Amino acid sequence: MTKYLEDFMIRWKKPKKMTAGLNLFGLWAYDTVLALAMAVEKVAIENSSSMKQNVSTNLATLGTSAMGKTLVETVLRLKFRSLSGNFQLVKGQLEASAFEIFNVIGNKERIIGYWIDQQKGLSRQLKFDSREAANTDVKRKLKQAIWPGDTTDQPATKKLRIGVPVKEGFNEFLKVEKNNNISGFSALVFFAAVNKLPFPLPHDFLPFNGTYDNLLWQIKAGTYDAVVGDTTIVANRSSYVDFTLPYSESGVSMVVLTEDNERDNIWIFLKPLSLDLWLTTGAAFIFTGCVIWVLEHRVNTEFRGPPEQQLGMIFWFSFSTLVFAQREKVVNNWTRLVLIIWVFVVLILTQSYAASLASMLTVQKLKPLFTDIGEIQMKGYSVGYQNNSFIKGFLTENLGLKESMLKAYDTIEQYNDALSKGSNNGGVAAIIDEIPYLKLFIAKNCSKYTMVGPTYKTDGFGFAFPKGSPLVSYMSTAILKVTQDKKLMDSIESQYFTNQTICDDQGAKISSDGRSLHVYSFGGLFIIVGAVSVFSLLMYMYSFLCSHWPTLRAMISSESSFWSKLVELAKHFDKKDLTSHPFTRRTSRVHAMDTPDETAIGGLQDANDMQNSSAVENNIDVNENE
């Protein structure tokens, strides 16, 4: 505060002058305009010819001042006492006259000294005291800082003691190297997160042999300041340590052995279609055959004959459409409509059947030996888990498995050996572990095992710190920056996981039960063909009733029994419809052959015409006898 600044503030607050408050930014703005005005006066730019020209509103016609360069150089050289202190530009920036050094205590600040300039250095007071200049002790130049714990004693800087689990297997996630260095996926994530922190984090890694729960208890006991590794975030652990945000996917699942004996099954040709689809398709064939017989029986001689002949035709004609082998001609337009839809349905069914059967015969389909933990528990089979992990407690407390059923393993090789033997030969029926471990195991043995059953929720891997540690929020933020950086995460994962065997999609290999085609998939087709068949049948019967109503009415009104009337109606329907187009066409052809054509050239076709005429007459006689 200077006399110059006090006078300015009084003038600023005068009534009817300014209503806005005054702050440091306002003072800087005032000093900047003042500096520019002083520079203009110095270079006498007001006398420049470029400034005397009329002001134009067209920006495109505005010129560049010839004195611009000189004006800039003059502003950069200016030094004067301003409202905010000493005005001086260094590399184009306003040089601060002093810096406050303050001590943060809670949400307040406490000034403990100032930095005047390079020559004067630190001082307790803003006004430089020459007696302090000779004192080289920083503590005497500044006021005492108050450190956390309300103490003036500066805490000694110490390295963070970080516990890391020693593991025999799954070194892709964490491995303790020589000199207590660590490597693996979890280690790389930790190093990447530390690099994202806004402060250094000195640390030492301390190996620990034992369970993960005991390792985390060492934080509560004060042995370690943190735990870094593939440590799963679960509820009971969160009661005595704080976890960072997870850096891996979460969940517990089950891996079982698979078998592939489907191609050796002699009944495999039935599996492409489910039982309900086989039955529905057969019923549709019979129904369509009956509809076609009804539509063709009165007008088509190929659908007439003895009862066994007609019954065989019903089955033969519809089923022969499977391979499009039917040779019988149809003459009814309603029949043609039904066949158009039916042939389309048959085409879809045969193509789907062929594709599904080809897939079963050529692509390896794996079937899991077990699909649910309940099945294994009911049979009393053994279950494997990873040694020293929380999975043992999870299996006994959450899933209700007996401890005698559980077997602990350390490595992927032990997992493979135990599953290959099976529960009856000293191995296990399934391995239950966290999904990241199981995916790594399957990646190395994908042709033999598959992941099945429900996924039980966990929160993934995280780093552990003491309860209330401020490092948790910093590390969580850093982990988010790492996991959201796709390039960085890809490079970390590629070092340990992407070089493993890449497996096919396991979901496409699970059990053939869900691969059969079901009737629901073709429900629309069956509805369409059924609707068209019923519609055609109804229209044909309506036409039949209308054309034969007098005769039918006489039969109905007779005093005979119901069954007698029904038999009479059936006999009437069984007769040939001689008024139909096929029969009238043949009759007209026979009459035309009996009457010589006077315009035709005689003698050239007599033999053929007589032979054809004789055949047609014989055919008509046979049909009439029928």
Side-chain angles (χ1 to χ4, degrees):
M1 182 62 69
T2 62
K3 178 65 175 170
Y4 179 37
L5 179 56
E6 288 178 356
D7 293 342
F8 180 81
M9 294 179 68
I10 292 172
R11 288 184 281 119
W12 183 269
K13 294 178 181 180
K14 280 185 178 181
K16 299 182 181 179
K17 288 287 184 181
M18 295 291 182
T19 57
L22 190 64
N23 55 23
L24 183 60
F25 296 101
L27 299 180
W28 283 345
Y30 182 90
D31 293 343
T32 302
V33 176
L34 179 60
L36 181 59
M38 294 171 64
V40 169
E41 288 183 349
K42 277 196 172 186
V43 299
I45 200 169
E46 65 274 14
N47 298 321
S48 173
S49 58
S50 63
M51 296 297 294
K52 293 180 179 180
Q53 297 175 357
N54 293 331
V55 178
S56 172
T57 57
N58 187 357
L59 297 179
T61 61
L62 288 178
T64 303
S65 171
M67 306 298 291
K69 183 177 180 181
T70 307
L71 179 62
V72 172
E73 293 174 351
T74 304
V75 171
L76 293 175
R77 290 197 301 267
L78 282 177
K79 293 181 182 180
F80 63 92
R81 184 69 176 173
S82 63
L83 291 178
S84 60
N86 294 323
F87 184 91
Q88 181 181 1
L89 298 178
V90 179
K91 295 182 179 180
Q93 300 293 325
L94 181 64
E95 185 180 39
S97 57
F99 291 94
E100 286 182 348
I101 302 173
F102 58 90
N103 182 194
V104 177
I105 304 174
N107 57 359
K108 297 181 181 179
E109 60 183 51
R110 171 174 170 264
I111 298 175
I112 60 175
Y114 301 90
W115 173 267
I116 307 301
D117 56 33
Q118 184 66 32
Q119 294 180 349
K120 297 178 180 178
L122 296 170
S123 174
R124 289 192 178 193
Q125 305 297 328
L126 186 56
K127 292 183 179 179
F128 178 71
D129 189 346
S130 58
R131 290 176 298 177
E132 292 181 338
N135 193 346
T136 58
D137 189 356
V138 174
K139 291 184 178 180
R140 293 186 181 182
K141 288 184 179 182
L142 301 177
K143 297 178 184 178
Q144 284 287 343
I146 299 177
W147 299 95
D150 293 330
T151 177
T152 56
D153 295 331
Q154 183 177 351
T157 303
K158 64 176 183 177
K159 291 184 177 181
L160 211 64
R161 297 166 300 170
I162 299 179
V164 291
V166 176
K167 305 179 59 167
E168 183 180 345
F170 294 98
N171 297 140
E172 291 84 356
F173 289 95
L174 187 70
K175 182 180 181 181
V176 179
E177 306 280 0
K178 295 179 180 178
N179 301 324
N180 292 340
N181 291 323
I182 62 174
S183 62
F185 173 72
S186 298
L188 291 185
V189 172
F190 174 74
F191 295 141
V194 168
N195 291 334
K196 300 286 185 181
L197 293 175
F199 49 83
L201 189 68
H203 54 269
D204 285 327
F205 294 117
L206 304 175
F208 179 84
N209 285 285
T211 67
Y212 280 69
D213 288 336
N214 290 338
L215 172 59
L216 293 173
W217 267 108
Q218 301 306 311
I219 296 179
K220 185 177 177 64
T223 307
Y224 299 134
D225 301 314
V227 166
V228 169
D230 46 349
T231 313
T232 305
I233 304 171
V234 291
N236 63 326
R237 293 174 176 176
S238 298
S239 63
Y240 51 88
V241 295
D242 279 346
F243 285 100
T244 62
L245 291 176
Y247 60 86
S248 73
E249 61 181 319
S250 62
V252 174
S253 191
M254 179 173 71
V255 163
V256 297
L257 191 66
T258 59
E259 60 178 356
D260 181 20
N261 58 356
E262 193 171 81
R263 283 181 286 187
D264 299 330
N265 190 346
I266 63 173
W267 301 105
I268 191 173
F269 68 92
L270 295 175
K271 290 191 174 183
L273 306 184
S274 61
L275 178 61
D276 57 352
L277 185 54
W278 277 116
L279 295 176
T280 304
T281 303
F285 273 107
I286 297 172
F287 175 73
T288 304
C290 292
V291 170
I292 292 175
W293 178 84
V294 171
L295 296 176
E296 293 289 319
H297 178 67
R298 289 176 50 82
V299 297
N300 193 338
T301 57
E302 294 186 356
F303 286 81
R304 299 185 65 82
E308 62 274 11
Q309 174 73 15
Q310 299 181 51
L311 184 62
M313 181 59 67
I314 290 175
F315 287 95
W316 156 255
F317 187 83
S318 58
F319 280 93
S320 63
T321 56
L322 273 173
V323 290
F324 307 102
Q326 73 281 4
R327 297 185 179 276
E328 295 77 14
K329 294 183 178 180
V330 295
V331 297
N332 193 329
N333 286 332
W334 292 114
T335 308
R336 295 187 178 107
L337 175 61
V338 173
L339 275 179
I340 289 173
I341 304 300
W342 177 245
V343 169
F344 175 74
V345 172
V346 169
L347 178 64
I348 298 297
L349 284 173
T350 53
Q351 293 295 324
S352 302
Y353 174 86
S356 182
L357 182 60
S359 176
M360 291 181 179
L361 293 174
T362 57
V363 180
Q364 184 184 25
K365 304 294 182 181
L366 302 181
K367 180 181 179 181
L369 292 180
F370 307 98
T371 57
D372 186 73
I373 186 64
E375 182 182 357
I376 297 175
Q377 187 177 9
M378 183 177 62
K379 295 182 178 180
Y381 292 154
S382 299
V383 174
Y385 67 96
Q386 188 177 165
N387 194 21
N388 292 329
S389 73
F390 77 99
I391 297 294
K392 180 179 180 180
F394 173 81
L395 294 176
T396 55
E397 296 172 11
N398 294 69
L399 299 185
L401 297 181
K402 296 179 181 179
E403 193 167 341
S404 58
M405 298 172 58
L406 306 181
K407 294 184 178 181
Y409 300 101
D410 293 302
T411 66
I412 289 178
E413 290 72 20
Q414 291 176 357
Y415 275 12
N416 181 37
D417 183 61
L419 283 171
S420 299
K421 288 181 179 178
S423 182
N424 294 329
N425 298 315
V428 295
I431 295 289
I432 296 181
D433 206 344
E434 294 174 83
I435 289 177
Y437 300 123
L438 296 183
K439 283 190 173 181
L440 180 63
F441 170 65
I442 292 175
K444 293 186 176 182
N445 304 276
C446 58
S447 61
K448 297 173 60 178
Y449 308 105
T450 185
M451 197 183 304
V452 297
T455 298
Y456 304 97
K457 180 67 176 174
T458 61
D459 283 337
F461 297 154
F463 305 132
F465 291 88
K467 274 287 187 181
S469 172
L471 284 175
V472 174
S473 60
Y474 284 106
M475 284 298 294
S476 294
T477 303
I479 288 173
L480 278 179
K481 293 178 181 179
V482 172
T483 54
Q484 291 177 1
D485 188 340
K486 190 175 184 306
K487 270 190 177 180
L488 180 57
M489 283 302 295
D490 287 346
S491 65
I492 292 174
E493 291 175 354
S494 65
Q495 297 188 41
Y496 295 100
F497 301 130
T498 56
N499 291 332
Q500 305 296 338
T501 304
I502 300 175
C503 297
D504 294 331
D505 182 13
Q506 294 293 326
K509 297 183 176 181
I510 301 300
S511 183
S512 63
D513 295 340
R515 289 199 318 272
S516 298
L517 300 173
H518 290 271
V519 68
Y520 187 80
S521 303
F522 303 92
L525 289 174
F526 288 121
I527 290 174
I528 292 173
V529 72
V532 172
S533 298
V534 171
F535 175 74
S536 301
L537 191 61
L538 291 176
M539 293 302 296
Y540 178 75
M541 295 305 297
Y542 175 76
S543 175
F544 171 76
L545 291 173
C546 289
S547 59
H548 296 80
W549 179 242
T551 306
L552 297 175
R553 183 170 58 181
M555 293 179 183
I556 295 173
S557 60
S558 64
E559 296 181 356
S560 56
S561 64
F562 173 77
W563 288 108
S564 298
K565 293 178 183 180
L566 198 61
V567 170
E568 290 296 324
L569 289 173
K571 288 181 178 180
H572 185 75
F573 180 80
D574 187 55
K575 294 178 181 179
K576 290 190 297 184
D577 186 4
L578 298 177
T579 61
S580 62
H581 174 68
F583 292 121
T584 56
R585 182 182 177 187
R586 287 185 176 181
T587 304
S588 62
R589 288 178 59 190
V590 171
H591 289 308
M593 293 174 186
D594 291 339
T595 305
D597 190 352
E598 296 178 355
T599 61
I601 299 176
L604 295 179
Q605 302 183 30
D606 289 346
N608 291 334
D609 289 346
M610 290 298 292
Q611 185 177 359
N612 292 336
S613 175
S614 177
V616 172
E617 288 177 355
N618 291 335
N619 192 20
I620 292 176
D621 292 339
V622 171
N623 290 334
E624 289 177 350
N625 291 332
E626 292 174 358

